[in-house]
């Protein structure tokens, strides 16, 4: 099949509404038509803000050791329905989807804690089932590990019943712990389904995803070698003039393993 990301999502400049030493606010008006022919007219406001080690301590309740270097930022993403009609499930909905793209390593693993409960923990069918040695789910401990070495195209996702508001990754060789935290609305259950198929359950989608890059087909090159940690807002059923906000935060901690262990336990519940 042939597909293309709509031009409004990827081309052209954003207007800078305001900026200071640690943040910038950008705006854009977007019009896009979905597969069902529904036209969406929206305003998007995106604030990118640098965070500090003190922000990490407030968020996760643990002091960052002096020997650990920290780079952190958040994006606050607001979409507003500027059309004359309400956005409805029957006609199709949009959501805010934020992804971080990171450098892979032989020993890089994405670590995702999850809620206990019935039903499957993880959807690993996006690009074919993930081999067991690359996806380890520990139901008793309440977390999973997903290999992110940039060598096998694969993707996983956790739905709203299982996803918590945090995910992360660790590479011992890179001395790097990454933690992604986002605002997950209480009780939200309807998320846009991003499986590459005609949808049977278009609002049965995932909240947290992770993608590992690799060859797109046997003998073909990869897209570039990277892995991703992604979060999504609920499907935006917005009345005219109404808005939805999704906030996604990324914390990179670089240091020796013992110093990072306490941060990982506090933020992810995993050593």
């Amino acid at each position: 099949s042939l597909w293309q990301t709509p031009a409004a999502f990827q081309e052209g400049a954003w207007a800078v509404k305001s900026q200071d030493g640690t943040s910038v606010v950008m705006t854009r008006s977007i019009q896009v038509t979905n597969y069902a022919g529904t036209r969406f007219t929206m305003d998007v406001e995106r604030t990118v803000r640098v965070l500090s080690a003190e922000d990490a301590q407030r968020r996760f309740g643990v002091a960052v050791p002096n020997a650990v270097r920290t780079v952190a930022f958040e994006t606050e993403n607001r979409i507003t329905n500027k059309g004359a009609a309400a956005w409805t499930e029957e006609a199709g909905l949009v959501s805010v989807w934020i992804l971080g793209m990171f450098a892979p390593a032989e020993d890089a693993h994405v670590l995702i804690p999850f809620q206990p409960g019935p039903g499957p923990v993880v959807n690993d069918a996006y690009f074919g089932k993930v081999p067991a040695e690359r996806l380890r789910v520990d139901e008793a401990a309440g977390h999973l590990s997903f290999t992110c070495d940039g060598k096998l195209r694969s993707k996983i996702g956790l739905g709203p019943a299982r996803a918590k508001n945090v995910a992360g990754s660790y590479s011992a060789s890179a001395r790097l712990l990454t933690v992604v935290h986002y605002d997950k609305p209480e009780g939200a259950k309807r998320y846009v389904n991003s499986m590459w198929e005609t949808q049977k359950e278009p609002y049965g989608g995932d909240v947290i995803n992770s993608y590992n890059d690799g060859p797109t087909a046997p003998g073909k090159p990869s897209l570039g070698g990277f892995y991703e940690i992604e979060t999504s807002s609920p499907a935006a059923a917005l009345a005219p003039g109404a808005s939805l906000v999704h906030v996604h935060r990324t914390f990179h901690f670089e240091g020796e393993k013992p110093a990072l262990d306490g941060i990982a336990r506090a933020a992810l519940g995993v050593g």
Side-chain angles (χ1 to χ4, degrees):
S1 62
L2 300 176
W3 61 274
Q4 180 176 326
T5 304
F9 284 169
Q10 65 175 351
E11 298 175 12
W14 290 58
V16 176
K17 182 178 178 180
S18 63
Q19 65 185 100
D20 57 30
T22 58
S23 67
V24 58
V25 182
M26 297 167 285
T27 62
R28 188 148 193 226
S29 296
I30 289 176
Q31 289 189 330
V32 65
T33 301
N34 72 1
Y35 185 72
T38 304
R39 188 171 181 83
F40 297 87
T41 301
M42 70 186 87
D43 283 352
V44 183
E45 183 176 277
R46 178 168 165 82
T47 302
V48 182
R49 185 177 295 113
V50 176
L51 302 177
S52 66
E54 289 71 29
D55 289 311
Q57 181 172 350
R58 284 191 291 270
R59 181 69 55 189
F60 305 123
V62 62
V64 178
N66 291 333
V68 172
R69 298 172 63 199
T70 304
V71 174
F73 57 94
E74 72 176 13
T75 65
E76 181 179 319
N77 309 276
R78 177 184 298 271
I79 58 174
T80 302
N81 180 357
K82 299 299 287 185
W87 296 348
T88 66
E89 288 193 1
E90 293 72 26
L93 295 175
V94 297
S95 69
V96 177
W97 171 44
I98 302 296
L99 63 87
M101 185 180 290
F102 307 120
E106 289 283 349
D107 61 351
H109 292 83
V110 161
L111 305 165
I112 306 179
F114 54 81
Q115 305 277 11
V121 172
V122 59
N123 172 16
D124 69 343
Y126 283 91
F127 293 102
K129 187 166 182 62
V130 180
E133 67 272 14
R134 286 179 163 266
L135 177 60
R136 295 181 172 89
V137 178
D138 190 332
E139 186 93 48
H143 61 77
L144 64 82
S145 172
F146 176 51
T147 299
C148 286
D149 56 5
K151 292 185 175 181
L152 180 71
R153 196 179 202 200
S154 47
K155 183 175 178 177
I156 62 170
L158 282 77
R162 290 295 201 158
K164 294 188 173 184
N165 62 356
V166 69
S169 64
Y170 176 66
S171 166
S173 63
R175 302 170 61 251
L176 182 63
L177 170 70
T178 295
V179 178
V180 169
H181 184 279
Y182 70 104
D183 291 352
K184 181 174 184 271
E186 192 71 34
K189 296 179 179 178
R190 308 289 274 172
Y191 284 79
V192 172
N193 192 333
S194 57
M195 293 285 287
W196 287 7
E197 61 189 18
T198 303
Q199 300 297 342
K200 296 173 183 174
E201 295 184 53
Y203 303 107
D206 293 323
V207 189
I208 294 177
N209 291 98
S210 181
Y211 171 80
N212 183 50
D213 194 32
T216 56
K220 299 286 187 179
S222 69
L223 299 180
F226 56 89
Y227 73 92
E228 298 171 347
I229 299 176
E230 315 165 7
T231 70
S232 292
S233 76
L238 298 178
S243 299
L244 175 149
V245 177
H246 182 66
V247 184
H248 177 110
R249 306 169 185 90
T250 304
F251 299 84
H252 295 297
F253 303 103
E254 184 181 357
E256 297 303 323
K257 192 171 184 176
L260 299 180
D261 185 71
I263 301 172
R265 291 181 186 278
L268 299 169
V270 184

